[in-house]
Amino acid sequence: MRSEYDERSPRTVFETGSLARVSEEVERLNKKRIILVSDESAKNWAEQVNEQLGELVVQHIDHVVMHVPDEFSAPIVDQSKKLGIDLVISIGGGSATGLGKILALDVGVDLLAIPTTYAGSEMTTIWGRTRNGEKLTGRNQSVMPKTVIYDPALTYSLPLNISANSGMNAIAHAVEAMYAPNCSPEVESASLEGIEIFSKSLRTLVRDTSNNQVRSDLFRGSMLCGFALNNATMGIHHKICHTLGGFYNLPHAQMHSAVLPHAVHFNQSYASKQLDVIASTLNAKTAADGLWQLASDIGSETSLKNIGYHVENSDHVAEFISNAKYENPRPFNYEGVVGLLKNAFNGDRPHDES
Ligand code: NAD
């Protein structure tokens, strides 16, 4: 058995109603000049934070752009430096956390993150930005939030389809962590628990959106899957989604949901031990089948066709991906990626080509 960690975890506050504790957490960090970043969905919560913190908030950015284009973040970075900001607070989905991380990186300040989706970015040292049309990512300890506040009450406003797709995005982190070459026993446990929570709780959520226990469980699942993402390398599924997101700006969570069953099917014979455990957690014949069934049951995206991907682009995407160096259980080449993309485009239940 071997396991290695060099990542620190953020202080985590997890409680329904914990949005009211932002000022207490800011005091704990001893910060005095704050930039607040919130997405459009977080308007009311941003107002509550503004009220709690009063004069400590010296700047408020109330909208965000997915994948943080430089044109959007650069003026905010400059302004933050001029204002002598010492803390970023982000409230919203992965895009709000993403802008918070770029500010943490470029301004050199700490981040307090308040997530409202299951993307899991708040648990990682991974940053992402778009420069000259190209999506860049990297790892840096400085973007790991100092504090994360999980308030399940903030997820009640999530439309069911965003909850479902965002949950599938979280599951994708856990699935790829399970077959990563550096998967440790801790990552494996977190991943399996995360997958199990999402599989059960998303199905319950579809039947009962007012269930408070389920709201908490889903956030806990998201925290576990974010931990898995942070502590394992990702495989072909993430490489494909990263490339499609960068080239065609497809909606992030929906794209993950559509590609995952087919990426897993592609890897089945090369990671059968791990994928069979996932299959049994999902109570399914195969992991790919169980994931596709879950996505179908909860109304999550199953086809790239529905989200604006043009299958004619697959040559270009496959050429790009097959030239990249990427750890994946099954070695991949141009034909393999084209086939996987075709299957994710069609969105049928994963099956072997006859
Ligand atoms: P998002 O942040 O773009 O949010 C999707 C939509 O949901 C937006 O319209 C948003 O306003 C809305 N929304 C968010 N929370 C809501 C709520 N509680 N109620 C109602 N509406 C709400 O999408 P996302 O899937 O959360 O995040 C995607 C981004 O996160 C991508 O840029 C991706 O690359 C990044 N990401 C980064 C990491 C990392 O570790 N760095 C991990 C996962 C995702």
Side-chain angles (χ1 to χ4, degrees):
M1 188 172 101
R2 184 176 156 226
S3 95
E4 283 174 27
Y5 291 109
D6 59 4
E7 318 284 7
R8 63 185 175 82
S9 293
R11 170 179 162 77
T12 302
V13 176
F14 194 120
E15 185 187 3
T16 298
S18 53
L19 187 69
R21 290 174 56 187
V22 174
S23 57
E24 186 186 317
E25 291 304 318
V26 166
E27 208 174 305
R28 179 183 271 270
L29 293 169
N30 193 23
K31 302 296 182 186
K32 307 283 182 227
R33 293 182 70 75
I34 297 165
I35 177 168
L36 178 61
V37 169
S38 57
D39 67 23
E40 285 81 349
S41 73
K43 190 169 175 287
N44 292 342
W45 305 317
E47 270 169 26
Q48 287 178 43
V49 170
N50 259 321
E51 266 170 37
Q52 279 183 56
L53 296 175
E55 288 175 354
L56 297 185
V57 177
V58 294
Q59 197 182 11
H60 179 193
I61 306 296
D62 63 2
H63 66 290
V64 299
V65 182
M66 193 165 69
H67 305 320
V68 203
D70 270 2
E71 311 78 85
F72 178 65
S73 61
I76 307 174
V77 168
D78 287 347
Q79 182 69 0
S80 299
K81 284 181 178 165
K82 279 190 198 125
L83 290 169
I85 296 297
D86 63 6
L87 179 71
V88 190
I89 298 181
S90 62
I91 314 180
S95 300
T97 314
L99 175 59
K101 285 179 159 183
I102 291 302
L103 293 178
L105 190 67
D106 291 357
V107 183
V109 292
D110 289 337
L111 170 63
L112 184 159
I114 309 172
T116 62
T117 66
Y118 309 126
S121 175
E122 68 284 352
M123 292 302 287
T124 81
T125 58
I126 305 165
W127 54 263
R129 71 193 324 158
T130 311
R131 178 165 290 166
N132 302 325
E134 194 187 344
K135 188 170 175 198
L136 308 172
T137 58
R139 284 187 184 257
N140 194 308
Q141 292 285 351
S142 67
V143 308
M144 175 68 98
K146 277 276 182 299
T147 305
V148 177
I149 296 181
Y150 285 104
D151 182 347
L154 306 192
T155 63
Y156 274 93
S157 56
L158 272 174
L160 203 47
N161 79 312
I162 300 190
S163 297
N165 283 292
S166 189
M168 292 300 294
N169 181 193
I171 290 176
H173 307 327
V175 168
E176 292 232 295
M178 286 273 296
Y179 55 52
N182 58 349
C183 180
S184 62
E186 294 83 357
V187 167
E188 184 181 324
S189 310
S191 298
L192 278 176
E193 196 179 341
I195 293 168
E196 187 172 13
I197 289 174
F198 274 112
S199 157
K200 285 192 180 142
S201 304
L202 286 172
R203 285 188 166 99
T204 311
L205 187 73
V206 170
R207 294 193 303 273
D208 178 9
T209 52
S210 60
N211 187 320
N212 201 25
Q213 184 60 47
V214 163
R215 298 279 173 188
S216 293
D217 291 346
L218 287 167
F219 246 164
R220 182 170 149 65
S222 147
M223 188 166 77
L224 291 166
C225 293
F227 168 83
L229 169 65
N230 194 41
N231 290 292
T233 50
M234 297 289 108
I236 192 163
H237 167 80
H238 277 77
K239 182 64 191 167
I240 287 179
C241 291
H242 182 95
T243 306
L244 295 182
F247 283 0
Y248 310 114
N249 207 22
L250 300 183
H252 183 80
Q254 290 88 329
M255 177 176 63
H256 272 273
S257 180
V259 173
L260 185 63
H262 303 285
V264 165
H265 183 71
F266 178 82
N267 278 329
Q268 175 61 45
S269 332
Y270 292 76
S272 55
K273 191 166 148 252
Q274 298 89 330
L275 291 175
D276 289 351
V277 179
I278 294 175
S280 98
T281 301
L282 293 170
N283 220 354
K285 202 166 51 172
T286 64
D289 196 69
L291 291 166
W292 186 88
Q293 191 60 54
L294 174 62
S296 305
D297 290 351
I298 61 176
S300 187
E301 193 52 74
T302 51
S303 157
L304 286 178
K305 197 188 316 182
N306 298 337
I307 54 170
Y309 178 65
H310 301 289
V311 77
E312 312 82 67
N313 291 330
S314 299
D315 287 345
H316 176 51
V317 175
E319 197 159 311
F320 181 81
I321 292 177
S322 52
N323 284 325
K325 288 210 179 350
Y326 226 74
E327 299 261 22
N328 187 62
R330 176 173 170 182
F332 54 90
N333 57 17
Y334 172 87
E335 285 77 20
V337 179
V338 167
L340 201 168
L341 284 167
K342 191 176 115 213
N343 292 338
F345 177 79
N346 290 331
D348 298 330
R349 186 183 285 277
H351 59 277
D352 289 323
E353 301 298 326
S354 48

